[in-house]
Amino acid sequence: MRKTSIIALSAVLISAFIATACGGDPGDKIIKSAKSGDMTVTFASAGGDLKNGENELMISFTDASGNPVDVGAVSLNFHMPAMGAMAEMNDRATLTTTETPGKYRAQVNIEMRGTWEAQISYQGPQGTGQVSMTVNAK
Ligand SMILES: [Cu+2]
């Protein structure tokens, strides 16, 4: 009885792992969101945070009702101003579209811990816009 349930649990965990490894949704725990006009731009990940190192994020654009809004082409850059002798840093994310217009996957290598300014710009059906928000990398 007990052995069976442990095996069943393992199977569930293994299939969850495979789903992640095969490029499923990087996660839906909100890291941070900001307003851009009538839209809300939201960052999410599996762990709900931005990390020093490689990150897999979801970025979504939604209307006042929470429905996704297609904004066309999106770019994302993480910027940190110069600190003392350290030059400014710009870690540009690679974005890909998903099956849902208005939802994008982002891959970015964050070079260090600390406060970054996420700079988002878009161009398309909603016109041209820019949003920025600070995000803390752990
Ligand atoms: Cu820095």
Side-chain angles (χ1 to χ4, degrees):
M1 179 72 180
R2 193 176 206 147
K3 211 168 202 172
T4 314
S5 55
I6 289 169
I7 290 165
L9 178 62
S10 306
V12 168
L13 291 175
I14 288 163
S15 47
F17 176 75
I18 289 167
T20 310
C22 291
D25 199 310
D28 56 4
K29 282 193 186 159
I30 293 173
I31 300 170
K32 199 158 187 184
S33 63
K35 289 267 182 192
S36 175
D38 294 338
M39 288 189 298
T40 302
V41 185
T42 305
F43 281 111
S45 71
D49 51 24
L50 187 71
K51 305 185 302 278
N52 177 22
E54 287 291 342
N55 287 267
E56 285 258 10
L57 310 171
M58 286 298 286
I59 176 165
S60 53
F61 296 76
T62 48
D63 64 17
S65 311
N67 298 313
V69 178
D70 186 11
V71 293
V74 177
S75 73
L76 167 63
N77 180 56
F78 286 88
H79 172 79
M80 189 187 277
M83 304 181 300
M86 198 191 294
E88 67 163 1
M89 295 179 191
N90 288 290
D91 292 346
R92 183 162 283 275
T94 304
L95 267 73
T96 48
T97 54
T98 67
E99 287 172 9
T100 310
K103 272 190 137 189
Y104 304 79
R105 295 165 61 93
Q107 282 184 296
V108 63
N109 186 12
I110 295 292
E111 290 177 84
M112 65 179 287
R113 292 180 187 190
T115 305
W116 292 83
E117 185 187 5
Q119 302 170 324
I120 303 138
S121 59
Y122 56 87
Q123 190 171 21
Q126 303 298 316
T128 301
Q130 285 174 341
V131 202
S132 68
M133 62 182 116
T134 57
V135 184
N136 194 48
K138 290 180 180 173

